[in-house]
Amino acid sequence: MHDLVIFDCDGVLVDSEPLSNQVMVANFARHGLSLTAEECHRVFTGRTMPEVQDIARDLGADLPENWIMEFDAETDARLRQGVPLVPGVAELLTLLDARGIPFCVASNGGPDKMRVTLGQNGLWDRFKDVMFSAYTLGVGKPDPTMFLTAARQFEATAPVVIEDSASGVTAAIRANMRCLGYVPDGKGELLADLGAEVFTEMAEVPALLGI
């Protein structure tokens, strides 16, 4: 039996990535880099913001020194207009509570962004004290530090990670943790190749966890 469930945030708890990608497309276009939303998703999903900045510059974007702050502000403004929960997440969290299985969130995103996305969906109070962020730890996925730190804090011996990105799956495997890879579009070959057990709906998770 697993004694901790570690959720990624964007794309796993909240369906924020399409909105963030729209902001990224518009922002990069202003700075001389033309990418589609699909290209942004493929290249940048799961990256830390310093990594996104470096890659974009390598691709030709003329980004200002304060670009991360600029992009975060634009993204927060867009997300405040409304971002939905991933279908089935609320029911899954209720079940974990009922079974007495603790859970937390570990994200390359910052706490301020998670306050926006989780707060408007009534989840902030459930995660605010069990939140692990690359912004605060100083290191992000695919480094396993975030997951290992969470497991230590909970004294968990059998944690499981739920992820949707290659960097997140890689971090989980490097931490020697079981990883469930959420791929709602069914295109899970990459995550499976990296070591994740692929699923397409949150309703599948209880059976995968044996609860």
Side-chain angles (χ1 to χ4, degrees), residues 56-192:
R57 284 174 172 162
D58 288 343
L59 292 173
D62 183 18
L63 304 183
E65 287 303 312
N66 67 337
W67 178 78
I68 293 176
M69 186 180 302
E70 170 192 296
F71 178 76
D72 283 349
E74 292 176 7
T75 302
D76 284 352
R78 178 62 185 87
L79 294 176
R80 287 181 190 280
Q81 297 176 27
V83 56
L85 284 177
V86 166
V89 160
E91 294 81 359
L92 176 56
L93 296 180
T94 297
L95 179 60
L96 292 175
D97 278 334
R99 296 290 190 270
I101 300 172
F103 51 82
C104 65
V105 60
S107 173
N108 277 350
D112 289 344
K113 180 181 179 183
M114 287 189 275
R115 181 188 290 271
V116 172
T117 58
L118 298 177
Q120 64 184 262
N121 287 290
L123 296 186
W124 175 253
D125 287 340
R126 301 177 81 171
F127 283 101
K128 65 181 180 181
D129 296 323
V130 288
M131 181 170 292
F132 301 87
S133 166
Y135 278 53
T136 53
L137 289 176
V139 62
K141 311 164 194 175
D143 188 287
T145 297
M146 201 182 311
F147 294 149
L148 294 171
T149 301
R152 280 197 304 271
Q153 180 164 315
F154 281 88
E155 298 182 349
T157 58
V160 60
V161 174
I162 302 181
E163 270 288 350
D164 71 328
S165 71
S167 62
V169 173
T170 299
I173 299 304
R174 288 177 176 174
N176 198 31
M177 295 179 183
R178 183 185 182 194
C179 185
L180 306 182
Y182 178 53
V183 285
D185 64 1
K187 299 176 182 178
E189 292 82 3
L190 173 59
L191 299 192

Side-chain angles (χ1 to χ4, degrees), residues 186-207:
K187 299 176 182 178
E189 292 82 3
L190 173 59
L191 299 192
D193 288 344
L194 292 171
E197 300 169 47
V198 171
F199 70 102
T200 59
E201 297 181 357
M202 286 296 164
E204 299 174 56
V205 173

